[in-house]
Amino acid sequence: MRLSRLFTLLLLVTSLGACSKKTVSFNSRTDVPALALNDTLATSGDTTKAPSLDPKKVAALTKAQEKAAKDKERAELRKTKKKKNIFLGERIKKGFAKSGPKGKNQVLEIFYYLKTYKEPNAYSTTVYYFNPRKRKIFRAATELNPATDKVLHGPYKKFQGGKLIETGFFAVGTKHLRWEKTTKDNVLTSKIHYEMGFPRDANVTYYDTDHKLVKEVVPYVNGKLEGEYARYQENGQRDWSGEFENGKKVGEWIKYWGFRNRRHYVYQYGESGYDPEVAEPTLVKEYNRNGVLVYEKDKLDKRDAITDRPGRKK
């Protein structure tokens, strides 16, 4: 009897000892819930967009997530493609102007201008601006009006009858970078590279050793006189301006009074540098010191009323 009780007691002790030293394999499943431990190397932000590790859930969510991701990507792409109109650091606005009769000869110009007025460089040989009321591009003959004149700045294209005939860029009213002219048959007729209004190969001379007071700008392209010419007085005001083509003076050449860049005399040379050169230009316009037109060839002549005209006998 004693032996049977002792044997029963030994079995009970043995079973209790085995339960106190239970070993759990990593591959085993236990009914005891595991303690949740916080990973200090990860945050909710790191795992918010992490894919699920459940293959069934991945398969179920992939199509929806993929569609949402693509839609988001397209939206982001549209945002990046929607570029702000900025050229050389300046905000610009698009414009266009039409001229001539409708059809094959109608001219369309597409261009940009500064949203906020900026004064062109005083030494710019020619300044271009857009007048919204007249819907036309002009070459500045006098000082610009900040309230009405829109300074051209940005890409420029000119079409005739739907055919591209001229391309280039403006920078604060002056021609900049490469300008090309072509015929309606896409034959290149002219290509000039400008740097803020000056032909890249222009010969520039100065009044001072610091190269701040420009005296004369003589345009050269491939070693030949080509482009806009300008001469300035020592006070920075214009003295002469004109244009060379194929080594010859063409178009209007202007002599200025010497203050406020006001015109004095306007002379006319030939229309093309490929025609015989005009030895003696024709005086076509004359202005008094107040900027009033007093003479226009075959139309107007009020020069007798001028008392400050050079060479006039008093």
Side-chain angles (χ1 to χ4, degrees):
M1 186 69 174
R2 290 181 179 178
L3 290 175
S4 61
R5 289 180 178 178
L6 181 60
F7 180 74
T8 303
L9 183 61
L10 288 173
L11 287 176
L12 179 62
V13 172
T14 304
S15 62
L16 289 175
C19 289
S20 65
K21 295 183 179 180
K22 182 179 179 181
T23 302
V24 180
S25 169
F26 286 105
N27 295 320
S28 66
R29 297 185 63 182
T30 173
D31 296 333
V32 180
L35 296 177
L37 300 178
N38 292 328
D39 189 346
T40 58
L41 299 181
T43 64
S44 59
D46 295 326
T47 58
T48 299
K49 299 180 180 180
S52 171
L53 296 180
D54 187 340
K56 293 183 179 180
K57 191 175 292 186
V58 171
L61 296 179
T62 294
K63 292 181 179 180
Q65 289 182 340
E66 186 177 353
K67 184 179 183 303
K70 285 184 177 180
D71 290 342
K72 185 176 181 181
E73 185 179 357
R74 291 192 191 100
E76 293 294 332
L77 196 59
R78 282 194 293 269
K79 288 181 181 179
T80 57
K81 282 186 175 180
K82 189 177 180 181
K83 298 178 181 178
K84 294 181 179 179
N85 287 336
I86 296 177
F87 182 72
L88 298 179
E90 302 287 345
R91 293 184 64 83
I92 56 179
K93 188 174 181 179
K94 191 175 184 178
F96 70 93
K98 291 182 179 180
S99 60
K102 292 182 179 180
K104 296 181 179 180
N105 294 322
Q106 187 175 58
V107 174
L108 170 65
E109 295 174 284
I110 300 176
F111 52 87
Y112 291 81
Y113 56 87
L114 292 171
K115 292 192 70 173
T116 304
Y117 181 83
K118 186 174 183 179
E119 190 69 31
N121 192 309
Y123 288 115
S124 300
T125 54
T126 304
V127 173
Y128 297 84
Y129 68 94
F130 173 61
N131 186 306
R133 185 174 64 83
K134 297 182 179 180
R135 304 295 304 175
K136 188 177 179 180
I137 291 176
F138 293 93
R139 291 175 60 167
T142 57
E143 295 179 349
L144 298 182
N145 184 346
T148 59
D149 300 335
K150 307 299 183 181
V151 180
L152 296 191
H153 187 83
Y156 170 87
K157 290 184 179 181
K158 185 176 182 180
F159 300 85
Q160 186 173 22
K163 302 291 186 180
L164 182 64
I165 60 173
E166 188 173 7
T167 60
F169 296 86
F170 285 104
V172 196
T174 64
K175 289 186 175 182
H176 191 52
L177 304 177
R178 187 173 67 185
W179 277 72
E180 293 183 352
K181 291 183 179 181
T182 58
T183 66
K184 289 190 288 186
D185 297 325
N186 201 31
V187 177
L188 183 66
T189 59
S190 173
K191 182 171 69 174
I192 300 178
H193 192 109
Y194 292 91
E195 296 292 341
M196 301 298 290
F198 296 154
R200 181 173 57 185
D201 300 328
N203 181 18
V204 183
T205 56
Y206 302 83
Y207 282 104
D208 61 333
T209 56
D210 294 332
H211 290 180
K212 293 183 178 180
L213 302 177
V214 178
K215 180 178 182 180
E216 187 178 39
V217 180
V218 183
Y220 284 96
V221 176
N222 297 325
K224 183 182 293 186
L225 287 169
E226 186 85 24
E228 296 172 348
Y229 167 89
R231 182 179 176 86
Y232 300 88
Q233 297 187 13
E234 199 164 357
N235 62 2
Q237 294 291 312
R238 296 183 188 182
D239 188 24
W240 278 96
S241 68
E243 187 173 357
F244 284 101
E245 184 180 53
N246 193 36
K248 302 171 186 176
K249 292 180 179 179
V250 295
E252 291 184 346
W253 278 67
I254 303 169
K255 171 67 175 176
Y256 296 85
W257 276 102
F259 62 92
R260 300 187 69 179
N261 287 327
R262 286 184 174 173
R263 296 182 174 193
H264 192 178
Y265 300 110
V266 179
Y267 295 94
Q268 181 69 49
Y269 284 85
E271 295 183 358
S272 173
Y274 297 92
D275 296 333
E277 186 172 14
V278 175
E280 291 294 333
T282 303
L283 177 64
V284 292
K285 291 181 182 180
E286 184 175 337
Y287 297 83
N288 65 16
R289 293 177 62 87
N290 297 319
V292 178
L293 180 66
V294 295
Y295 172 78
E296 187 172 4
K297 185 177 180 296
D298 300 330
K299 293 183 179 181
L300 173 72
D301 192 349
K302 295 183 179 180
R303 291 176 291 181
D304 290 339
I306 302 175
T307 58
D308 56 0
R309 191 172 170 208
R312 178 179 173 82
K313 294 181 180 180
K314 297 182 180 181

